[in-house]
Amino acid sequence: MACSSFAKLNSLSSQWIGNNSFSSRRGSSPLIATRRVSLPIRAASYADELVQTAKTIASPGRGILAIDESNATCGKRLASIGLDNTEVNRQAYRQLLLTTPGLGEYISGSILFEETLYQSTADGKKFVDCLREEKIVPGIKVDKGLVPLPGSNNESWCQGLDGLASRSAEYYKQGARFAKWRTVVSIPCGPSALAVKEAAWGLARYAAISQDNGLVPIVEPEILLDGDHPIERTLEVAEKVWAEVFFYLAENNVIFEGILLKPSMVTPGAEHKEKASPETIAKYTLTMLRRRVPPAVPGIMFLSGGQSEVEATLNLNAMNKSPNPWHVSFSYARALQNTVLKTWQGRPENAEAAQKALLVRAKANSLAQLGRYSAEGESEEANKGMFVKGYTY
């Protein structure tokens, strides 16, 4: 296994270092203290499995369905179609999504909220088993949400590291094989150096803990769309954030081949006077990725961040018009679910039509991952923007 090779490397290196001293120059005084160097052992016994899981999720023509909204946020979605926020209604909606026939052709992984990971269908079949039958990898949201960051410019930090190791071990037993941790960076708020460092360090600690417990970590520092800044400013901030993130991932000995990224696309602020074309967004986003993301990372699974269903798909398609060193795909929530929810309306007789709507969106993004999507024939509803200023999950 990969971890044993790391261990052998460490053992050999330690023996060599133990028998060879380092000094400032040849012939220097033996009284000068020598420096000893140690190499880390990474990800315990899960290294090979992590790499294989990441590759499975980052498979051609497939992406991630994110249905990890908190109960409060799921309640807002249900309220939009006149349903109460009850566990029965949340279970019914998520059953609709997770039992869609043929979903695995376009979806390789699904991020679940903790409640959903432990739920079953109305017939008693575990949701994780429904996913496995479609060859979809179950995932789990593990962060505990955003709270104010003291000493910052009205910014946030993401909590949830306390108890994460034991929770992750339980999620693995339940069938989860990857994890998600979302933190945010706000351009109108600066962002401050403190907020960027806190976001990067928290993501790195989470990633290391996840890998140690068999879960592939999705690394997600979302750069919020809020603001009227130009696309050049977004690129500048994104490069700073991702440089910091990868510095701390390396510091925490995270295996890059066993992670996935969930970045924002590089776009102008939502309130900027000029919209950018898909080609421009692709150009700036790929510039950022090529400057900051090692090719060892298997998959870039973009979030939609309030774009319309069609916008998110067009932008992804533009990024896949030429080859990339990583699998460039999607991890969408609203951009896969919006039309589905409005088609369903909470009525059992609409379930089949709603599932077909999910397949339409999933197939569109599958084609975009392959660079073959066309927006011809898309509905008016799919073109509606979903940006909400100050949006919370």
Side-chain angles (χ1 to χ4, degrees), residues 314-342:
L314 281 171
N315 292 337
L316 178 63
N317 187 70
M319 281 185 262
N320 283 296
K321 284 297 187 181
S322 56
N324 293 300
W326 336 264
H327 174 80
V328 175
S329 193
F330 59 94
S331 178
Y332 293 163
R334 286 176 287 169
L336 282 172
Q337 295 181 50
N338 188 53
T339 301
V340 178
L341 191 62
K342 292 183 177 180

Side-chain angles (χ1 to χ4, degrees), residues 346-364:
R347 298 172 185 164
E349 63 269 25
N350 293 340
E352 185 177 350
Q355 289 181 329
K356 287 180 179 178
L358 176 58
L359 287 177
V360 166
R361 292 264 45 92
K363 182 178 180 179

Side-chain angles (χ1 to χ4, degrees), residues 57 62-66 107-111 131 135-139 178:
I57 297 171
R62 300 205 296 167
I64 294 173
L65 168 64
I107 300 296
S108 56
S110 183
I111 312 170
L131 290 171
K135 294 183 170 50
I136 299 172
V137 182
F178 71 102

Side-chain angles (χ1 to χ4, degrees), residues 150-198:
S152 72
N153 185 26
N154 196 30
E155 295 163 288
S156 301
W157 68 284
C158 188
Q159 57 188 345
L161 290 177
D162 287 352
L164 179 58
S166 58
R167 285 189 285 120
S168 297
E170 288 301 316
Y171 297 148
Y172 184 92
K173 288 179 185 176
Q174 185 62 18
R177 289 298 178 268
F178 71 102
K180 174 205 163 180
W181 176 286
R182 172 187 177 260
T183 192
V184 302
V185 173
S186 170
I187 293 179
C189 289
S192 68
L194 173 64
V196 172
K197 182 169 287 189
E198 173 59 41

Side-chain angles (χ1 to χ4, degrees), residues 241-262:
V241 169
W242 280 104
E244 200 98 344
V245 166
F246 272 99
F247 173 80
Y248 285 118
L249 287 172
E251 286 281 289
N252 282 272
N253 305 313
V254 171
I255 301 174
F256 289 175
E257 293 87 349
I259 66 174
L260 297 167
L261 306 187
K262 187 169 179 176

Side-chain angles (χ1 to χ4, degrees), residues 79-133:
S80 73
I81 58 170
L83 291 184
D84 293 333
N85 186 15
T86 65
E87 183 177 353
V88 171
N89 286 336
R90 293 192 298 270
Q91 185 267 356
Y93 178 52
R94 284 160 173 165
Q95 177 174 325
L96 171 83
L97 298 170
L98 297 178
T99 60
T100 298
L103 187 62
E105 184 176 351
Y106 313 116
I107 300 296
S108 56
S110 183
I111 312 170
L112 310 177
F113 192 61
E114 186 177 62
E115 176 182 78
T116 316
L117 181 68
Y118 291 91
Q119 281 178 332
S120 301
T121 67
D123 296 331
K125 188 173 185 179
K126 292 180 180 179
F127 281 149
V128 290
D129 291 335
C130 294
L131 290 171
R132 285 171 177 152
E133 286 183 5

Side-chain angles (χ1 to χ4, degrees), residues 172-285:
Y172 184 92
K173 288 179 185 176
Q174 185 62 18
R177 289 298 178 268
F178 71 102
K180 174 205 163 180
W181 176 286
R182 172 187 177 260
T183 192
V184 302
V185 173
S186 170
I187 293 179
C189 289
S192 68
L194 173 64
V196 172
K197 182 169 287 189
E198 173 59 41
W201 177 255
L203 284 165
R205 290 303 306 137
Y206 137 77
I209 293 167
S210 294
Q211 287 192 339
D212 201 47
N213 288 280
L215 301 179
V216 169
I218 288 183
V219 179
E220 181 184 359
E222 179 177 353
I223 298 170
L224 298 172
L225 280 176
D226 303 63
D228 60 1
H229 50 275
I231 195 169
E232 291 81 6
R233 175 60 177 155
T234 308
L235 175 63
E236 179 185 11
V237 171
E239 288 186 355
K240 170 63 178 173
V241 169
W242 280 104
E244 200 98 344
V245 166
F246 272 99
F247 173 80
Y248 285 118
L249 287 172
E251 286 281 289
N252 282 272
N253 305 313
V254 171
I255 301 174
F256 289 175
E257 293 87 349
I259 66 174
L260 297 167
L261 306 187
K262 187 169 179 176
S264 317
M265 297 178 190
V266 178
T267 68
E271 297 160 295
H272 188 63
K273 58 188 177 183
E274 294 180 14
K275 289 194 69 172
S277 68
E279 292 72 26
T280 299
I281 290 170
K283 174 186 173 184
Y284 276 82
T285 303

